[in-house]
Amino acid sequence: LSGLRGTLLQLPALRQAAHERIRLSDLTLPHAMVRVLLGLAGGGTLASIITRESAELLGLAAGSPVLALCKATAVRVHAAEAAAPKGGNRLPGRVLRVSRGVQRDEVVVTLAGDQQLVGFAARPNRLRAGSRADAVLDDSAVVLALTS
């Protein structure tokens, strides 16, 4: 089941044209958990961990149209220079907008390929429109579904 391809990646407020193609580039089935890699439009990679049973029930195969979802609250945004947690998905981009909050700020990050991802940054932070940032999310927070 390696070499799978997908057609759509949709994260919360990850905005892109529906016609852009996202490549499901790899699927590893060594154990009960399955690691799925999605190639992003701008050249990055997004990983998802799902159960082997889910992969089989979805019938993941080469060319399957894939929808990837996660909650914005699962996305942690850090300044690119900051030491972000290791592991999981680390997606570099630029801050488009920051909405200040009491404990956390809601941040819209534009990724390569003009995809936009919404997440949250702990306060205080130095994030401003135009600054470089990394969006970090655990691969277990990425849910996959098939599209028709």
Side-chain angles (χ1 to χ4, degrees):
L1 290 174
S2 62
L4 300 178
R5 301 178 70 79
T7 57
L8 180 64
L9 170 69
Q10 187 73 33
L11 293 174
L14 178 63
R15 302 171 190 128
Q16 68 176 34
H19 303 291
E20 289 184 279
R21 294 188 60 85
I22 302 300
R23 189 178 78 243
L24 186 71
S25 58
D26 192 22
L27 178 67
T28 308
L29 298 167
H31 305 289
M33 301 304 289
V34 176
R35 183 173 171 88
V36 180
L37 296 177
L38 300 167
L40 301 176
T45 305
L46 179 69
S48 175
I49 295 285
I50 61 174
T51 65
R52 179 187 200 94
E53 182 178 4
S54 292
E56 291 168 353
L57 287 171
L58 288 170
L60 292 179
S64 299
V66 176
L67 180 69
L69 303 164
C70 76
K71 291 176 58 175
T73 54
V75 180
R76 300 172 311 279
V77 179
H78 304 274
E81 302 81 33
K86 295 188 190 250
N89 294 290
R90 186 176 181 139
L91 306 171
R94 291 214 175 259
V95 173
L96 176 67
R97 181 177 62 249
V98 178
S99 298
R100 299 292 176 198
V102 175
Q103 294 179 331
R104 299 188 301 167
D105 296 336
E106 182 180 278
V107 183
V108 179
V109 178
T110 302
L111 307 175
D114 291 326
Q115 295 169 314
Q116 294 178 347
L117 181 62
V118 176
F120 289 88
R123 290 195 57 122
N125 62 67
R126 296 178 178 229
L127 296 171
R128 305 281 181 269
S131 62
R132 290 184 13 214
D134 290 325
V136 179
L137 64 153
D138 293 333
D139 43 14
S140 61
V142 180
V143 178
L144 298 180
L146 295 179
T147 62
S148 53

